[in-house]
Amino acid sequence: MKPAAWTKQNLTRDPSIIYHEGKFHVTWTTAWRGDAFAYAESRDLAIWSDPVRVEPFGERKPTNSWAPEICWDPLRQNFIILWSSRLDQPGNRIFMTRTADGDKFAAAEPVLPRDFGCIDAFLLREESARRWVMIYKNEEPEEKGGKNLRVATAPLDFSTPWVDLVDRPIIGPSSPVAADSMTEGPTLLKIKDEYLLYWDSPLKGKNPAHLKKAGGPAVADDSFGLATSRDLSTWQDRTPELSLPQNVRHGTVFLAPRSTVGWLKK
């Protein structure tokens, strides 16, 4: 998928994909700076609809709109999209919009009141526990306790605020797992009774000063990690068992019927 032909919006980055009722839905980051992100649909992951430009802030103009993550809410019968923006505050915060048809999108509203910068929120609906689980990144500098992943929960109807499940990071610096590198871009699955948490460590094994001089993060073949848990609190690092294509970066691990994937049908 090439970037949309939008002025100063020249990226196709941070894709979030879900499969729902015979169709794939994707959202992605279209620029490092700007007030929009994109949405599109497909039935086979190969042929996509024209991208829809999503500007949920209306007349307000945030500095950026990063890493939109999409999921289906069966209670409200619409899609939730979470992303991070810097708007009238010193750091990024997490916002939410909803859409039933991929055409009209509700106005942005903040969803995670924290006194530190947050990005890369990912939602998992857990029907058995009657809750949503959110994995998100503390975007503060590492020396201030950030650059790691945390976990929060809220009821299925969002009737009470998000509460951190544990009062510490679960992955990345200051945590028991992958403490040697910043972590971001999480994806969470639950298979039977086990949670699988994937994440991106784009600076793993790299020299930050060298990266800055070179103009940005270099691609690290071993940048992705995997940990598993049965309670969302205690995690086991399973990265040595993880096998992914080379050079993967920020994305989504998702479940879909094999028969729906266009290039596998033959």
Side-chain angles (χ1 to χ4, degrees), residues 122-135:
F122 182 91
L123 282 184
L124 173 71
R125 180 183 171 88
E126 199 171 7
E127 188 68 40
S128 60
R130 306 297 298 166
R131 67 183 180 183
W132 289 97
V133 177
M134 179 194 292
I135 306 292

Side-chain angles (χ1 to χ4, degrees), residues 30 45 75 101 110 137 162 202 208 211 231 233 249:
T30 59
L45 285 177
L75 188 64
D101 55 10
K137 179 190 177 185
W162 288 93
L211 293 174
D231 61 4
S233 177
R249 294 294 301 275

Side-chain angles (χ1 to χ4, degrees), residues 58-73:
E59 295 300 319
R60 297 185 296 169
K61 299 297 180 183
T63 301
N64 57 286
S65 300
W66 286 351
E69 292 281 348
I70 186 169
C71 66
W72 173 252
D73 182 356

Side-chain angles (χ1 to χ4, degrees), residues 8-76:
K8 297 182 179 180
Q9 305 288 300
N10 59 356
L11 291 180
T12 302
R13 179 181 167 85
D14 311 330
S16 170
I17 299 177
I18 62 168
Y19 179 78
H20 176 69
E21 294 185 348
K23 189 181 295 185
F24 293 95
H25 305 260
V26 62
T27 56
W28 69 94
T29 304
T30 59
W32 286 110
R33 301 176 66 86
D35 59 351
F37 58 84
Y39 168 90
E41 301 173 353
S42 172
R43 292 198 175 274
D44 62 1
L45 285 177
I47 300 173
W48 292 88
S49 64
D50 291 335
V52 175
R53 181 169 178 145
V54 185
E55 299 173 283
F57 287 107
E59 295 300 319
R60 297 185 296 169
K61 299 297 180 183
T63 301
N64 57 286
S65 300
W66 286 351
E69 292 281 348
I70 186 169
C71 66
W72 173 252
D73 182 356
L75 188 64
R76 296 273 294 270

